[in-house]
């Protein structure tokens, strides 16, 4: 049964590569974010068990998946992250088709360099997403562009360097083995297992608690004449 499923998946990668990679990303990033939420839940319970801590919840509260957060991560993986890197890896294969050490190094280096702006965009996406959803649902009357810029800049300053180092630590050896030894058709299978770990890490970093600020949330919508963007 497992062999049959693997053959079907391989066939789907050959006939519909982008669609299959996007579907795989949907599953992988869902598992990653739910895992991250569960780890955060266990850590919070551990802190609340200390005698000096005044809990906001009781020890008997069950783990509940944050659907809005999960939906946000899925949108990132399906509509932004996976299509970008699918096209990027295809470009690398066309540019450096051989599996020589030099070609493999160029591909790995290219993927690492591409991760810098991609992760910066990820932090901006996370900063903007809740405001965009609130605006779309009519909860706020304007999109706080300046606040989004500030949140993105703070997140990049605090976490981009650490994220890039973690990315290089994981993906340099994974991609080197991938480009050097794994046939193109099976690369998604190779990276999937590691992508679960990486998506969990990204979710943890993206939702790491930030210091409280005195910046007020934009006012709820009271009129339809308000501008859509606010600087």
């Amino acid at each position: 049964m497992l062999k049959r499923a693997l053959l079907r998946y391989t066939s789907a990668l050959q006939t519909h590569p982008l669609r299959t990679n996007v579907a795989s990303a949907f599953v992988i990033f869902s598992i990653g974010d739910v895992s991250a939420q569960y780890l955060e839940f266990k850590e919070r319970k551990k802190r609340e068990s200390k005698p000096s801590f005044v809990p906001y919840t009781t020890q008997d509260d069950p783990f509940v998946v944050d659907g809005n957060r999960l939906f946000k991560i899925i949108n990132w993986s399906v509509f932004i992250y996976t299509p970008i890197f699918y096209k990027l890896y295809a470009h690398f294969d066309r540019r450096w088709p051989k599996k020589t050490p030099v070609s493999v190094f160029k591909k790995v280096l290219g993927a690492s360099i591409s991760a810098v702006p991609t992760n910066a965009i990820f932090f901006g996406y996370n900063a903007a997403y809740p405001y965009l959803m609130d605006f779309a649902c009519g909860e706020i009357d304007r999109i706080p562009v300046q606040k989004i810029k500030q949140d993105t800049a703070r997140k990049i300053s605090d976490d981009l360097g650490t994220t890039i180092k973690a990315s290089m630590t994981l993906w340099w050896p994974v991609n080197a083995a991938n480009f050097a030894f794994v046939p193109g058709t099976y690369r998604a299978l190779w990276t999937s297992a590691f992508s679960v770990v990486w998506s969990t890490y990204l979710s943890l970093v993206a939702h790491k608690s930030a210091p409280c600020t005195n910046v007020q949330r934009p006012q709820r919508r009271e009129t339809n004449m308000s501008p859509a963007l606010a600087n």
Side-chain angles (χ1 to χ4, degrees):
M1 185 175 180
L2 181 61
K3 184 178 180 180
R4 187 183 305 170
L6 181 61
L7 289 174
R8 282 190 173 183
Y9 184 73
T10 302
S11 175
L13 283 171
Q14 292 174 333
T15 54
H16 305 289
L18 179 57
R19 189 187 308 173
T20 306
N21 275 280
V22 166
S24 300
F26 176 90
V27 175
I28 290 166
F29 275 78
S30 296
I31 294 173
D33 185 61
V34 172
S35 299
Q37 291 190 41
Y38 183 74
L39 290 174
E40 291 168 353
F41 171 79
K42 296 295 288 185
E43 180 63 24
R44 185 172 68 252
K45 287 299 181 182
K46 184 178 179 181
R47 290 197 307 268
E48 292 178 356
S49 66
K50 296 180 179 180
S52 60
F53 188 87
V54 179
Y56 294 101
T57 59
T58 66
Q59 289 294 311
D60 296 331
D61 284 344
F63 169 66
V64 179
V65 174
D66 184 340
N68 289 331
R69 168 175 160 172
L70 178 60
F71 185 67
K72 175 178 66 175
I73 292 294
I74 289 174
N75 280 334
W76 164 260
S77 66
V78 168
F79 296 109
I80 303 176
Y81 178 82
T82 301
I84 286 176
F85 275 89
Y86 172 81
K87 296 292 186 181
L88 187 66
Y89 282 11
H91 170 72
F92 290 162
D93 282 337
R94 290 192 301 269
R95 182 88 180 258
W96 303 294
K98 298 180 180 179
K99 292 186 177 182
T100 62
V102 174
S103 294
V104 170
F105 175 77
K106 288 179 179 179
K107 292 179 183 180
V108 172
L109 182 62
S112 296
I113 293 173
S114 302
V116 177
T118 303
N119 284 313
I121 293 171
F122 176 67
F123 291 141
Y125 167 83
N126 270 280
Y129 186 88
Y131 297 110
L132 294 176
M133 290 297 100
D134 282 353
F135 179 76
C137 295
E139 294 294 322
I140 57 176
D141 61 0
R142 62 193 178 97
I143 300 173
V145 177
Q146 193 60 35
K147 177 64 167 60
I148 292 172
K149 289 180 179 178
Q150 293 173 354
D151 289 349
T152 303
R154 175 187 56 78
K155 198 67 177 175
I156 289 175
S157 176
D158 291 347
D159 295 319
L160 182 60
T162 303
T163 303
I164 295 302
K165 290 179 182 177
S167 175
M168 293 174 65
T169 301
L170 174 66
W171 290 112
W172 271 63
V174 170
N175 282 333
N178 200 13
F179 290 129
F181 305 114
V182 181
T185 305
Y186 296 96
R187 283 179 184 162
L189 289 174
W190 170 258
T191 57
S192 290
F194 300 97
S195 294
V196 172
V197 177
W198 181 245
S199 61
T200 302
Y201 173 82
L202 269 186
S203 183
L204 288 170
V205 171
H207 299 95
K208 185 174 66 176
S209 298
C212 294
T213 65
N214 292 324
V215 179
Q216 294 182 349
R217 190 176 182 83
Q219 296 297 317
R220 289 180 176 272
R221 179 185 294 274
E222 295 180 356
T223 173
N224 292 328
M225 300 299 293
S226 301
L229 296 177
N231 294 318

